[in-house]
Amino acid sequence: EPEAHGLEFARGEVRCVCGCCETWQRWVSGKPLLTSAGGLPVTVHGGGAPLVRYEVITAELVESLAIWFAGLAGRRPAPLRVLEVGAGDGRLTLHLRAALRRRGLSSREVQLVATDSGARELAACEPGAVEA
């Protein structure tokens, strides 16, 4: 609803200027969301490089995947095996596993495996790494 979001129209672009959408954009781009008592930015990622999000996990995404996987699992005798490559901290798999359990499916029907090299986090720890 445009009235609720304070939309700004300029140069053919539509941009929301409400506090919620601004916070959302900052979170997705990895910018600090909080400030300390002294007004200094505090990153959610412990002060290292910004944690830019390439995947935004929503309830709709998780539920859609759970419905899809449940349907696939119901059509096969062996368990459905799902491999998430580049899983980061495994958050998607965690929420997906809970959604499948709510549908009565266990790892006997759907096996979820999350894997990630950790290269992104390790690179931030390298000597000479630059904070963005």
Side-chain angles (χ1 to χ4, degrees):
E1 297 176 12
E3 306 81 36
H5 283 277
L7 295 180
E8 186 177 86
F9 302 90
R11 296 183 309 259
E13 295 178 8
V14 179
R15 187 172 92 86
C16 183
V17 293
C18 80
C20 291
C21 291
E22 183 180 341
T23 299
W24 169 257
Q25 288 299 322
R26 292 185 69 73
W27 184 80
V28 170
S29 64
K31 294 178 182 168
L33 299 179
L34 310 170
T35 55
S36 67
L40 299 172
V42 177
T43 62
V44 178
H45 194 48
L51 183 58
V52 178
R53 276 104 176 137
Y54 296 99
E55 171 188 50
V56 178
I57 300 169
T58 64
E60 293 83 5
L61 171 66
V62 171
E63 291 303 316
S64 295
L65 287 171
I67 290 167
W68 185 38
F69 292 157
L72 290 173
R75 289 183 260 167
R76 50 187 331 152
L80 175 66
R81 293 187 179 112
V82 179
L83 174 63
E84 182 185 3
V85 177
D89 63 6
R91 206 172 296 195
L92 175 59
T93 297
L94 174 76
H95 292 294
L96 186 52
R97 185 168 286 139
L100 290 167
R101 282 190 191 128
R102 287 192 298 274
R103 287 182 163 63
L105 296 169
S106 70
S107 59
R108 288 187 304 273
E109 293 88 18
V110 180
Q111 294 177 351
L112 301 175
V113 176
T115 182
D116 194 283
S117 70
R120 193 168 160 203
E121 287 76 18
L122 291 172
C125 298
E126 291 289 323
V130 178
E131 254 187 70

